[in-house]
Amino acid sequence: MESQGRLRRLFISASLGNALISIIKIMGGLLSGSTALLADGSDSILNVVSSSIAYRFYTRSLKPPDERHPYGHKRFEVYGSLLILLLMAATFSFVGFMALDRFSHGEPERVDPIGIVFAVASLGLNLTVSSLLRVYGRGSQIALTESRHTSLDVVEGIMTLSGVILGSFVSAYFDLAATFIILVIVFYFIYGTLQELRSQILDTSPPQSVIDAIKEEALNLKGVRGVHSLRARVVGDKIYADLHLEVSPRLTVEEAHQICDELETNVNKRFGGKVDLTIHVEPKGDEN
């Protein structure tokens, strides 16, 4: 419960931090005429929305299993992450159109140097928010997505600062170039995160070492003659596994049940309570 409260506070703090960052960038872009700052500011506004989405769906993912969702609500985090990526794609499609439109009208005016001050200030705040999410958001898929998103903002901030400096003293084309580089970075982030979320959506099996460990715990129990049809899937930070446990047909129902209880206890002790185990008991041969 303490970690859940910490993550809630973290998401609220990230939303407030991103709101301040977005104001600084948008003001800097308007005052200096920097497309890169405006693009970066648009992303920060998106961060405010995405942090709110992250908070909402993380809270919903904590609900215990119910009649309609017997395996819990962990996939709400995946759903929230997909919404964040969709918003990013829509926002940067608009930014890309804006940059292309400016580029098509000939060489624009140089960026006002005042933009450098705003770029430096926003970069410092980006570093702070990103560090907080990375350090205190461990154990949550959606917090991880937000952490990577804000880490991306740090890279964007460095690129924006470079574009604003060169756009102020050399040519405004550097400011536009920084904008297009930011768009490429965002596309790469969206693609990479989608690849990671795919494993959550498709019920991907955990590493083979986890499967082997569960089988090992079962075969180490007295009275177990074999294990088969062992399979598992990852849902958020939980692993749902089921297996067929072969035991002597002469065991009583109570004795077989005790073996199952012992196996569940041992597996959960080994994996910190993150494995939900379903066991099917089968008779195997006769005792001599």
Side-chain angles (χ1 to χ4, degrees):
M1 294 300 292
E2 182 180 349
S3 63
Q4 295 172 9
R6 185 188 73 241
L7 282 171
R8 288 192 181 100
R9 292 191 296 271
L10 178 63
F11 288 137
I12 292 173
S13 298
S15 295
L16 294 175
N18 285 324
L20 179 58
I21 292 168
S22 65
I23 292 172
I24 292 173
K25 290 177 180 178
I26 294 296
M27 286 182 60
L30 292 174
L31 290 173
S32 66
S34 169
T35 305
L37 263 176
L38 287 175
D40 212 4
S42 298
D43 185 42
S44 294
I45 292 175
L46 174 61
N47 287 349
V48 177
V49 178
S50 66
S51 292
S52 301
I53 292 174
Y55 175 76
R56 173 178 172 79
F57 283 97
Y58 173 74
T59 302
R60 295 185 71 177
S61 74
L62 296 176
K63 289 183 178 180
D66 55 33
E67 185 175 346
R68 289 191 62 194
H69 308 92
Y71 291 101
H73 299 76
K74 292 299 296 183
R75 283 209 174 99
F76 271 114
E77 287 198 271
V78 178
Y79 181 61
S81 295
L82 290 173
L83 285 180
I84 290 171
L85 295 181
L86 181 62
L87 284 171
M88 288 181 67
T91 300
F92 279 94
S93 293
F94 171 76
V95 171
F97 173 80
M98 181 175 62
L100 285 172
D101 181 68
R102 188 178 181 191
F103 181 79
S104 66
H105 286 80
E107 183 172 1
E109 296 181 4
R110 289 186 183 181
V111 176
D112 192 304
I114 189 65
I116 298 173
V117 177
F118 289 91
V120 171
S122 62
L123 177 58
L125 284 171
N126 270 143
L127 282 167
T128 301
V129 173
S130 176
S131 298
L132 287 173
L133 282 168
R134 185 174 61 254
V135 173
Y136 295 105
R138 294 171 181 170
S140 167
Q141 175 61 55
I142 201 164
L144 177 62
T145 299
E146 274 298 282
S147 173
R148 289 180 176 176
H149 188 184
T150 51
S151 295
L152 177 66
D153 289 340
V154 173
V155 177
E156 291 174 4
I158 295 171
M159 187 59 59
T160 298
L161 179 59
S162 301
V164 171
I165 292 173
L166 293 173
S168 299
F169 300 110
V170 183
S171 169
Y173 279 129
F174 285 101
D175 184 63
L176 287 175
T179 304
F180 289 122
I181 292 174
I182 289 172
L183 293 177
V184 173
I185 293 172
V186 170
F187 173 79
Y188 180 78
F189 169 82
I190 292 174
Y191 176 78
T193 304
L194 282 174
Q195 291 296 104
E196 181 176 307
L197 291 176
R198 183 176 63 178
S199 64
Q200 298 283 342
I201 297 171
L202 297 178
D203 285 340
T204 303
S205 178
Q208 185 60 40
S209 59
V210 175
I211 302 293
D212 293 339
I214 295 174
K215 186 174 182 179
E216 177 186 330
E217 291 291 345
L219 294 175
N220 284 340
L221 294 176
K222 183 178 180 181
V224 174
R225 295 186 169 184
V227 175
H228 68 91
S229 300
L230 171 57
R231 59 182 181 175
R233 58 192 174 99
V234 178
V235 180
D237 61 348
K238 292 279 290 184
I239 297 174
Y240 292 90
D242 59 84
L243 58 84
H244 289 244
L245 199 66
E246 297 174 344
V247 301
S248 168
R250 297 191 179 188
L251 291 180
T252 64
V253 173
E254 182 178 356
E255 289 170 335
H257 183 70
Q258 288 176 350
I259 292 175
C260 293
D261 284 345
E262 188 177 354
L263 177 56
E264 289 178 351
T265 299
N266 292 346
V267 168
N268 277 303
K269 186 182 298 183
R270 185 161 180 171
F271 292 100
K274 292 187 176 182
V275 177
D276 187 308
L277 194 59
T278 300
I279 305 170
H280 307 271
V281 177
E282 294 183 356
K284 176 68 173 179
D286 290 317
E287 295 198 18
N288 296 325

